Amino acid sequence: MASFLDILKKNKEKIYFVVFSLIFALVVWFATKSVNLFLFAVPLVVIFGYFSLVDYKWLWYLTVFLMPLSITESEFFGKLAGVTFPTDFLAIMLLGLLLFKLASERNWKLPFGSHPIPIIIGLQVLWMIFAAVPSSMPIVSWKYITAYVWLLGGFFFLPLLLFREKKVMFRFFQLIVVSFTMAFVIIMTLYVGSGRNPFGLRFNPGPFFVDHTVFGAFTSMWVPVLVLLSFAGELKRRERLLARFGLIVFITALFFSYSRGAWASCVASLLLMGVILMGKWARKFLLPTMMLGMLAGLFVWYANQSAPVKNNSVSRKNLSEHIASVTNFRTDDSNRERINRWYCAWEMFKDRPMFGFGPGTYSFQYGNFQKSRTRTYVSTNRGDNGTAHNEFLLALSESGWPGPIILIFLFAVPFLRALRGYNRASKRNTRLLYLACAMGLMAYDIHAFVNNFLDQDKVGGTYLVLLAIITALDIYYLPKEKGLPQESVKMVRAV
C-alpha cells in the first residue's frame, strides 16, 4: 500500500494530465452531441484546473493581470448582473484550489499563526456570519459573505503562500501596471471615440470600472506605491522604468477620474509618506501630530455639514469649481446626497443596533429611512441607487456596532504593523515594500470616509493583497533582518 502511494506521489502530474484529458474529451463530446454552446466553456475550466494543480502560481498571476480588465456590466451578463467577469470566476477557482491543497497536501499550511491581520479578518468574517443570521434579507447577506470569502481566498490567503518569494510581490505590482495601462488606453479610446470630451468633468471609465469614483479610488491607492517603486529601493533599471511609466499612467488616470475624494486621499497619503521619509524624529513627532490633525479636521468637517440648502443642480462648470466644491455640503447636491446616505445609515443603526440589517443589504433598505429634509435632487424614491458612501457607517448599518469597531482595527493595525516593519527591517527593498503598502492602504483608509468600495474586486482585491504583503513580510522576512545594519530607503535621481 505504501509503495502504491509513493508511485502516485511521484507521478502526480501525469495522473492529473490523464484525468483532466478524459474529462476534457467527455465534455467536448457531450457538448457536440447535445449542441449546447454553454458546455463548450467547460473545457476552459478543465484546462485552468489542470494547470492550477500543476503550477497554481500562473493562475494567480492571470487573475491579477485580468483584475483591471474585468467587467461588471448588466448589459453583458443579464441575469448574472453584479458578477465581475472574469475576476469572480477566477477567484472562486483560486479559493477551491486553496481548500483542495490544504486538505490534500501536508506541506500546504497557512503560516500566519498569531499574526493580528489574519485574526482581524477572521473576526470580521465571523461577525458577518453572526449578522447574517437575523438579516432582513438572508439570501442577499449570505451571497455577500460568500463573495467576500472567495475574494479573501484569491487575494489574501493564497498570496500569503506565494509571497515566500519576494519577487512575486514585485511581479504583482508589474502586472497591475501593464494591465491597467491596457485598460486605460481602451477606456480613453472608447470615450473619445464616442465624441465626448474627457475634460468635461463627466468621465465614464466603462466598461472596466462601474463609475468614476471606483476608478479614482483604485488609481489613488497606486500612485503612492508607484512613487516609491519609481524613486526608492534597489530595483533593476527596467523595473524602475516600468514603475515610472506606470506612475505617469496612474497620475493621468487619477486626474481624469474627477473624483475629489480620490484626489484628496492621494495627496494626504503622499504628505504622510514625505513625513515618514524625513527620518525617525519626524515619524515620532510630526506623524502623530499630522494624523491627529487630520482626524480633528475630519471631525470638524463632519460636524459642520448640517442644515443643507436645496439645490436642483449637480453640475460644476469648470475644474476650479469642482475642486472648491469638496467642502461645500450645503448647496452641492453630490455632497448633500452623501449626508442623506449617512443619515439613513445612522437611522438604520438606531433601528437595529446590535446586528444591523445584514451584510450587503444597505442599498435595498436605506430608502425606507430617507426624510424629506435630507433628500436631494439626485435621491431616488425607492432608495435603490448606491450605498452609504462611508465604510464605517455602512458597517454600522449592516453589522451593528461591532462592525465599524472591527473595521477600525482592520485599517489601523496593518498601517501600524507596516510602520513597525519599516522601522525594524534592514534590507532596503523590505523597507520599501512596507512603506509602499502602508501608503497604498492609507490612501484608501482616508477615502473610506466618503466612499465604500472594499467589496469591489479592483479596490478590495488590491487592499487585500497589500495586507497579504505586510503579513508575509512580518512572517518570512522581518525575523531574518532584525539586528542587521539598516539600509536607507532614499530617493534616487529621476534619470
Side-chain angles (χ1 to χ4, degrees):
M1 184 66 180
S3 58
F4 177 72
L5 291 175
D6 290 337
I7 293 172
L8 289 178
K9 289 179 180 179
K10 288 179 181 179
N11 297 279
K12 182 171 60 176
E13 293 186 9
K14 294 179 181 178
I15 293 171
Y16 284 152
F17 180 79
V18 171
V19 171
F20 279 97
S21 295
L22 289 172
I23 295 173
F24 181 90
L26 287 171
V27 170
V28 172
W29 172 80
F30 186 75
T32 305
K33 186 176 178 62
S34 60
V35 198
N36 189 331
L37 297 179
F38 289 101
L39 282 176
F40 282 103
V42 177
L44 297 177
V45 177
V46 174
I47 294 170
F48 280 139
Y50 168 71
F51 283 105
S52 62
L53 288 171
V54 173
D55 186 8
Y56 62 91
K57 187 190 299 181
W58 83 271
L59 185 60
W60 188 76
Y61 283 154
L62 179 65
T63 305
V64 168
F65 181 78
L66 291 176
M67 185 169 68
L69 294 164
S70 58
I71 298 174
T72 307
E73 286 285 351
S74 57
E75 62 183 272
F76 283 91
F77 303 114
K79 293 182 179 180
L80 291 176
V83 171
T84 302
F85 181 84
T87 308
D88 281 351
F89 298 101
L90 290 172
I92 292 170
M93 290 181 64
L94 289 172
L95 176 62
L97 169 67
L98 177 66
L99 295 175
F100 175 79
K101 290 283 191 179
L102 289 173
S104 63
E105 299 186 20
R106 292 182 179 179
N107 61 332
W108 268 65
K109 293 181 181 179
L110 292 173
F112 47 76
S114 60
H115 196 280
I117 294 177
I119 291 174
I120 294 170
I121 290 174
L123 287 174
Q124 185 187 39
V125 174
L126 185 63
W127 187 254
M128 280 185 180
I129 293 171
F130 286 150
V133 173
S135 172
S136 61
M137 304 177 73
I139 295 176
V140 171
S141 294
W142 288 112
K143 284 174 64 178
Y144 182 91
I145 293 171
T146 302
Y148 186 59
V149 168
W150 76 53
L151 204 65
L152 284 173
F155 293 101
F156 181 78
F157 290 110
L158 187 62
L160 196 55
L161 296 169
L162 295 172
F163 290 158
R164 288 188 177 99
E165 301 177 67
K166 194 178 287 186
K167 66 179 182 181
V168 179
M169 302 178 188
F170 288 102
R171 188 66 52 81
F172 165 69
F173 299 132
Q174 294 159 4
L175 287 169
I176 291 292
V177 167
V178 174
S179 60
F180 179 76
T181 300
M182 295 171 59
F184 185 53
V185 169
I186 295 171
I187 288 168
M188 294 301 290
T189 302
L190 292 174
Y191 193 81
V192 175
S194 65
R196 289 175 287 182
N197 179 11
F199 296 95
L201 305 184
R202 284 290 179 270
F203 183 65
N204 177 18
F208 304 121
F209 291 81
V210 176
D211 60 39
H212 73 107
T213 54
V214 180
F215 185 74
F218 178 75
T219 52
S220 68
M221 295 175 69
W222 280 93
V223 169
V225 173
L226 291 172
V227 166
L228 285 165
L229 292 176
S230 298
F231 302 108
E234 293 179 331
L235 301 178
K236 296 177 181 178
R237 186 172 182 273
R238 64 175 180 273
E239 294 173 341
R240 197 179 299 282
L241 288 175
L242 179 62
R244 290 174 181 175
F245 171 76
L247 179 61
I248 295 171
V249 172
F250 271 91
I251 290 175
T252 305
L254 179 61
F255 171 78
F256 281 113
S257 74
Y258 297 114
S259 171
R260 297 160 295 168
W263 291 349
S265 62
C266 183
V267 170
S269 179
L270 291 172
L271 289 173
L272 284 172
M273 182 175 69
V275 170
I276 292 170
L277 288 172
M278 288 172 68
K280 288 186 177 181
W281 67 274
R283 295 197 292 274
K284 287 182 178 180
F285 301 106
L286 286 183
L287 185 61
T289 304
M290 192 174 178
M291 296 289 288
L292 289 173
M294 290 172 61
L295 289 173
L298 282 168
F299 176 78
V300 173
W301 179 62
Y302 270 94
N304 284 278
Q305 305 313 322
S306 58
V309 178
K310 276 286 182 184
N311 179 31
N312 291 331
S313 176
V314 296
S315 64
R316 287 166 286 276
K317 294 181 180 180
N318 54 52
L319 186 61
S320 60
E321 289 184 12
H322 188 67
I323 296 172
S325 67
V326 170
T327 58
N328 178 13
F329 273 69
R330 295 183 181 275
T331 60
D332 185 275
D333 256 336
S334 177
N335 290 337
R336 287 181 57 249
E337 181 60 21
R338 280 188 167 83
I339 297 176
N340 180 43
R341 306 289 178 85
W342 297 342
Y343 174 82
C344 292
W346 181 253
E347 291 299 312
M348 289 172 67
F349 161 68
K350 286 163 53 176
D351 192 55
R352 292 192 176 192
M354 186 65 195
F355 295 104
F357 279 73
T361 60
Y362 176 90
S363 59
F364 300 98
Q365 299 287 348
Y366 85 92
N368 300 324
F369 294 86
Q370 291 187 109
K371 304 295 182 183
S372 59
R373 65 186 177 86
T374 61
R375 287 176 60 86
T376 71
Y377 180 69
V378 294
S379 298
T380 60
N381 291 327
R382 293 178 56 198
D384 57 356
N385 186 20
T387 52
H389 288 282
N390 184 296
E391 290 285 0
F392 306 99
L393 289 174
L394 180 68
L396 192 69
S397 65
E398 293 186 343
S399 304
W401 61 265
I405 293 176
I406 296 172
L407 192 63
I408 289 170
F409 278 98
L410 184 64
F411 282 5
V413 170
F415 181 75
L416 294 175
R417 294 289 296 199
L419 289 185
R420 170 182 172 271
Y422 176 78
N423 289 328
R424 295 187 179 185
S426 302
K427 301 292 184 181
R428 184 173 289 118
N429 278 353
T430 304
R431 303 187 72 211
L432 167 70
L433 286 167
Y434 270 123
L435 187 57
C437 292
M439 294 303 101
L441 294 176
M442 180 53 63
Y444 184 77
D445 292 346
I446 297 169
H447 197 126
F449 285 94
V450 293
N451 276 312
N452 53 280
F453 300 130
L454 283 182
D455 59 342
Q456 301 277 341
D457 68 305
K458 297 173 180 65
V459 176
T462 298
Y463 200 93
L464 289 173
V465 174
L466 295 181
L467 293 183
I469 291 175
I470 294 171
T471 307
L473 290 173
D474 278 356
I475 295 170
Y476 304 133
Y477 302 99
L478 187 60
K480 300 175 183 179
E481 297 182 18
K482 285 183 180 179
L484 297 176
Q486 195 172 64
E487 298 175 357
S488 173
V489 181
K490 59 184 178 180
M491 306 302 277
V492 300
R493 291 185 297 117
V495 294

